[in-house]
Amino acid sequence: MSDYFDELAALLRDRGVPAERVASTIEELAGHVAESGADPEEEFGPVAAFADSLGGVTGDDGTAGDERTASTGESWSWTADIFADERRLNEFGEQGWEVDRVDRRGMFVSHRDPERPQRWEYRRETVWPEGRRAVTERLAPDGWEPCGTWFLYEYFKRPGAASVGPAAEIGSPPPAPGGRLFFSVRFLLILAACVLLAVVSLWAVVGSGGSGDAGAGFAAGVATGAGVGAAAGAAVALWRLTRRDR
């Protein structure tokens, strides 16, 4: 594993990639491999070709390859919450976006073929308690291959041609979406509730601090208890929503 990333780092430096970017890229990729347990060459392919795909080739304008593709909309990173991720993946897959991996920030690192874009299909699987290898082997006969890991979730992709044949090719793909964050209403409501509970709990603790008034202490205790109960309710609701979404 170390030899692969050492050679990759050297190839990127030889292609003019800035040292800071080389270091961050290697750290991210090594973390992904350590987490998934995959072999680097099996995961990313031959090291020289992978260095080229990461943008090691520098153009006449002095910019690295992935910077040029990003500016033309052929490379894109984005994220969504667990209530929207699978739907968004398939929505953007219909536009020709192929997910290469999920980085440690939870972003879907994607690209689109500029010459012959095609549709992609996606699905999300919970890998516990079955295990990633078992899930991957179960889905492989239908053409699904892993494209990213996020905690207990494994994301899979397959070309649209697997289900619709030649119709999977896209004649005129739409421009790259303008945003990078796609959060559902349910997620935002739960987030707002958690923030509100945190504020109420903080108010209860601060309000009771240093006060000898028994009534104030009782009120603070009630507020804190209510906050804990509401937090537990929000956790149960989140779990139920997650289960219902799958």
Side-chain angles (χ1 to χ4, degrees):
M1 182 184 300
S2 177
D3 292 343
Y4 184 94
F5 289 119
D6 287 345
E7 185 177 355
L8 178 61
L11 288 171
L12 291 175
R13 286 193 295 267
D14 290 344
R15 287 160 170 75
V17 179
E20 290 185 2
R21 207 174 101 212
V22 171
S24 63
T25 299
I26 296 300
E27 180 183 3
E28 179 181 311
L29 295 174
H32 168 76
V33 168
E35 182 178 301
S36 65
D39 178 86
E41 188 155 3
E42 292 181 1
E43 184 79 1
F44 307 122
V47 65
F50 187 46
D52 290 341
S53 71
L54 287 174
V57 180
T58 303
D60 296 335
D61 56 358
T63 60
D66 63 342
E67 293 172 351
R68 293 200 311 279
T69 55
S71 67
T72 59
E74 295 167 6
S75 178
W76 178 46
S77 296
W78 59 280
T79 193
D81 60 77
I82 59 172
F83 303 118
D85 56 359
E86 198 167 8
R87 174 172 57 84
R88 290 290 188 174
L89 280 164
N90 283 292
E91 175 186 339
F92 299 137
E94 281 291 309
Q95 300 175 17
W97 293 101
E98 178 186 359
V99 172
D100 298 310
R101 66 183 188 279
V102 178
D103 68 18
R104 60 180 54 194
R105 300 170 300 165
M107 306 291 284
F108 294 104
V109 182
S110 314
H111 78 278
R112 182 165 64 186
D113 190 327
E115 296 180 357
R116 298 186 62 184
Q118 66 169 318
R119 294 177 173 84
W120 288 86
E121 300 174 353
Y122 296 93
R123 64 186 293 165
R124 185 190 71 201
E125 295 286 330
T126 303
V127 296
W128 183 87
E130 191 175 357
R132 287 188 176 88
R133 185 181 297 276
V135 173
T136 300
E137 291 176 351
R138 173 167 57 83
L139 298 179
D142 292 325
W144 295 102
E145 59 178 291
C147 61
T149 301
W150 183 246
F151 292 103
L152 297 179
Y153 294 125
E154 188 77 21
Y155 294 90
F156 292 85
K157 65 181 178 182
R158 70 179 180 183
S163 56
V164 299
E169 286 198 20
I170 305 173
S172 300
R180 289 164 57 87
L181 305 177
F182 299 90
F183 295 143
S184 65
V185 173
R186 277 184 284 180
F187 175 79
L188 293 175
L189 287 174
I190 291 172
L191 181 62
C194 291
V195 171
L196 179 60
L197 291 174
V199 171
V200 170
S201 299
L202 179 62
W203 172 83
V205 172
V206 172
S208 64
S211 173
D213 185 79
F218 175 75
V222 170
T224 303
V228 171
V236 172
L238 176 61
W239 180 81
R240 287 178 177 174
L241 286 170
T242 306
R243 295 291 296 176
R244 188 173 67 189
D245 238 46
R246 295 198 64 251

